[in-house]
Amino acid sequence: MTTRIIGTGSSLPKQTVTNDDLSKIMDTSDEWISSRTGIRERHLAKEETTASLSVEAAGKALQNAGIRAEEVDLLIVATITGDYVTPSTACEVQAGLGASRAVAFDINAACSGFMFALHTAHAYLQTGIYRTALVVGAETLSKIMDWSDRSTCVLFGDGAGAAVVRAFGEDGTEKEGMGKGGSEKGCGGLLAFEQGSDGFRGKVLACEGRKNHNPLVQNPLVPSYVGMDGQEVYKFAVSTVPASILRVLDRAGVDAGEIKYFVLHQANIRIIQSVAKRLKADVGKFPLSLDHCGNVSAASVPILLDEMNQKGMLEKGDKIVMSGFGGGLTWASAVIEW
Ligand code: UT7
C-alpha cells in the first residue's frame, strides 16, 4: 500500500499589501523587510475567513484530482487561526464542500501543521482505515498579529493550500470502488516521514489563548497576539531543518542529489539559503512563494506545492522533499515521489 498526492489547490485573499504599504503605517521599510526576509508583499484577509479560504483551496484540489467531495473519507485542516474554537475549521470545510462522508478534524502544529496533517492522513491511509484524504493548511494570521509590533507583523500573511491524498496498492493501482483519479498515476508516492516536537522551547514563538475566567478567577478577556524571539527561532530552524531532511532522506533511502525540489516552509529566504548550504544543495532547487505570500504558517508548504503543480514544475517520478518548522516548537519532513 502506498499513498500519493493526486491533486492540489490554493487560495489567497484578494487584497495584497506591499512592504511600501506597510512603511506608510509603521516605522519599517521595503529595504529592511526584503533584505532580512525576502518578503515583498503578502495577502491579508478582509471578507475572507480561514474556513472560506480553506473551502476554495480544497475545492480546487478536488477538481485538480478529478474527484467529488463525497469521495473524501478524511478531512484534516492544519491551522492555528480557526474562525471558531468549535466547530473545527475541518467541520466547516466539510459543510462548505459537501464532503458528507468525511471524518473531519483540525491539527495545531503551527508552521509544521500541513506536514503533521499529511503524515496523519498517510498513517490512516496506510492502515486501510480510509482511502481518500483531503489535507488543508490554512491561516488568517493577520488577526493574531500585533500591528504595533513591526518585528512580527511584517512577516506573516493569510491564505490556504490543500492536497488530495489517496491510497494505492503496491502496483500503483486502486482497489475496486476507490473511484477516479488513480490507476494511471502509478506507484511511488509518500516515501518517508520524519517529525518532532520540542515543547521545552515553545515560548520563543507563542500566542496565548484565553486565561481562566470563571466564578473562581476573573481575568479580563483581552485578545493576545503573536510574540516571537526571532533570533532563537532562526537558530532553531537553521540547525533542525537540515538535520530533519537528512534523516528523512536516509529513511527513504534517497540521496540528496536525487531530489528535484526542496519545498520548505516559507519563513525567511536566509533560512532557506542556509538549509541549502548545509545540505550542499543548489539553492535553485528551493522554490519560493514567500516573496508574494510572506509566512503563511501551516499554509506555506501546500500553497507553494500548488503553485509548482499549476506551473507544471512537477513531473511523474520526480522526487521532492517537503519540510515544515515553527511554533511548538515543531518540525516535520517528507520525501515524495510525484
Ligand atoms: O514561521 C515560524 C518561523 N519563524 C521564523 O522562522 C522567524 C525566524 N527569524 C527571522 O526570520 C529573523 O530573526 C527576523 C526576520 C524575525 C528578524 O531578523 P533579524 O536579522 O534577526 O533582526 P533583529 O530582530 O536582530 O532586529 C534587528 C534590528 C532591530 O533594531 P536595533 O535594535 O538593531 O536598532 C529591530 O528593532 O531591526 C529592527 N527591526 C526592524 N526595522 C525595520 C525589527 N523589525 C523591523 C522592521 N522594520 N519591520
Side-chain angles (χ1 to χ4, degrees), residues 255-290:
D255 188 80
E258 295 176 56
I259 299 300
K260 186 166 178 192
Y261 295 114
F262 294 84
V263 182
L264 265 54
H265 169 52
Q266 303 283 296
N268 187 322
I269 197 167
R270 291 187 292 138
I271 292 176
I272 291 169
Q273 288 163 344
S274 169
V275 172
K277 197 169 164 194
R278 284 177 196 231
L279 292 174
K280 298 188 178 61
D282 175 4
V283 76
K285 289 183 168 184
F286 291 68
L288 298 174
S289 62
L290 58 78

Side-chain angles (χ1 to χ4, degrees), residues 28 32 36 111 150-151 230-231 233 265 267-268 270-271 295:
T28 191
W32 192 95
R36 301 264 174 160
C111 308
R150 66 179 182 171
S151 72
Q231 290 186 358
V233 179
H265 169 52
N268 187 322
R270 291 187 292 138
I271 292 176
N295 178 345

Side-chain angles (χ1 to χ4, degrees), residues 83-136:
D83 306 314
Y84 294 86
V85 174
T86 191
S88 66
T89 304
C91 283
E92 285 196 275
V93 175
Q94 174 188 28
L97 289 174
S100 48
R101 288 181 49 246
V103 168
F105 59 88
D106 287 0
I107 279 184
N108 176 337
C111 308
S112 314
F114 178 79
M115 298 305 300
F116 273 50
L118 189 63
H119 197 179
T120 305
H122 173 71
Y124 271 109
L125 267 48
Q126 277 277 321
T127 53
I129 297 173
Y130 300 122
R131 288 167 171 173
T132 305
L134 180 53
V135 183
V136 182

Side-chain angles (χ1 to χ4, degrees), residues 61-84:
L62 291 175
Q63 201 173 14
N64 185 235
I67 70 164
R68 292 174 297 112
E70 292 82 358
E71 293 178 59
V72 176
D73 303 303
L74 176 67
L75 202 172
I76 309 179
V77 177
T79 186
I80 56 168
T81 49
D83 306 314
Y84 294 86

Side-chain angles (χ1 to χ4, degrees), residues 199-254:
F200 302 96
R201 288 191 283 168
K203 296 299 187 298
V204 298
L205 173 48
C207 179
E208 228 182 320
R210 286 188 182 195
K211 292 186 192 310
N212 288 343
H213 187 79
N214 58 41
L216 306 177
V217 199
Q218 299 289 302
N219 277 306
L221 291 173
V222 286
S224 64
Y225 299 103
V226 168
M228 179 170 74
D229 181 336
Q231 290 186 358
E232 282 305 312
V233 179
Y234 191 95
K235 280 189 253 170
F236 153 74
V238 297
S239 60
T240 307
V241 178
S244 170
I245 291 174
L246 289 174
R247 276 195 299 274
V248 80
L249 285 169
D250 186 51
R251 200 165 286 179
V254 172

Side-chain angles (χ1 to χ4, degrees), residues 292-310:
H292 59 279
C293 291
N295 178 345
V296 204
S297 190
S300 277
V301 168
I303 289 173
L304 177 55
L305 191 69
D306 181 51
E307 288 185 356
M308 293 166 67
N309 194 18
Q310 298 312 322

